[in-house]
Amino acid sequence: NGDGSESRPFRTLSRAAQNAQPGTRILLRSGEYPPGTFLTNLQGTAESPILISGVPGEEPPVFKGGTQGLQLVEPRYVVLQNLKVTGASGNGINIDDGGSYDTPAEYVILRNLTVTDIGPSGNHDGIKLSGLDHFRLERCTIIEPGDGGSAIDMVGCHDGILAFNQ
């Protein structure tokens, strides 16, 4: 029954994202959040991207367990920052084009993210990017992806910058 205000926040990130429009800032307080958050078609603009972030000055919110911590499908002009994903059995963060070359995921910034302890074994990635164009990953830390996976896996991605990641 929240309205998205500080005094009556939405209960879930998925619910907050349903109302997101260019310029929306979704700030998550410290604490544990349910894994498997699936966000589709977030569409910001170059002048007004959509921001999903932990609250500055607080410990980052944690998406813990589940198959995937967080998945974005067909995002455009979206910034993810100051978040933590841990213990997912599949991929930690997954960003993709929804299987359509006509509508690539694009103009996404991943900043100050921590992804740890992904997958028990096998091809499980810390951050999985598929069909993402014009993107940046900066100051992210990925520790212990699946033993057959990658810290950052990019398939069909173009024009990306990776800077100051561990």
Side-chain angles (χ1 to χ4, degrees):
N1 294 328
D3 61 12
S5 66
E6 189 170 352
S7 62
R8 294 186 56 225
F10 293 119
R11 183 173 294 228
T12 66
L13 172 55
S14 296
R15 177 65 182 94
Q18 288 175 4
N19 292 338
Q21 297 181 15
T24 295
R25 294 179 41 175
I26 300 172
L27 299 177
L28 303 173
R29 306 297 312 226
S30 290
E32 200 168 293
Y33 289 77
T37 300
F38 183 88
L39 306 176
T40 185
N41 208 28
L42 289 174
Q43 302 286 303
T45 66
E47 299 79 24
S48 299
I50 294 171
L51 172 70
I52 299 172
S53 175
V55 174
E58 291 186 7
E59 289 295 315
V62 178
F63 294 85
K64 185 175 182 178
T67 303
Q68 294 192 96
L70 184 59
Q71 182 168 359
L72 277 68
V73 177
E74 296 182 325
R76 191 161 198 260
Y77 293 105
V78 174
V79 178
L80 290 180
Q81 68 182 22
N82 304 329
L83 305 172
K84 182 175 182 178
V85 174
T86 188
S89 64
N91 297 314
I93 296 173
N94 190 344
I95 300 175
D96 65 66
D97 60 9
S100 170
Y101 295 119
D102 297 331
T103 56
E106 57 185 351
Y107 302 105
V108 174
I109 298 173
L110 304 173
R111 180 185 299 130
N112 297 330
L113 303 176
T114 301
V115 181
T116 65
D117 303 314
I118 301 304
S121 64
N123 185 15
H124 305 288
D125 304 312
I127 298 175
K128 171 76 172 182
L129 306 175
S130 303
L132 177 59
D133 295 342
H134 314 292
F135 62 97
R136 293 181 60 96
L137 274 87
E138 51 192 42
R139 295 182 179 85
C140 295
T141 301
I142 299 101
I143 302 168
E144 300 291 334
D147 63 10
S150 303
I152 302 167
D153 185 9
M154 295 176 278
V155 176
C157 296
H158 305 94
D159 196 22
I161 296 173
L162 283 70
F164 309 108
N165 299 294
Q166 297 182 8

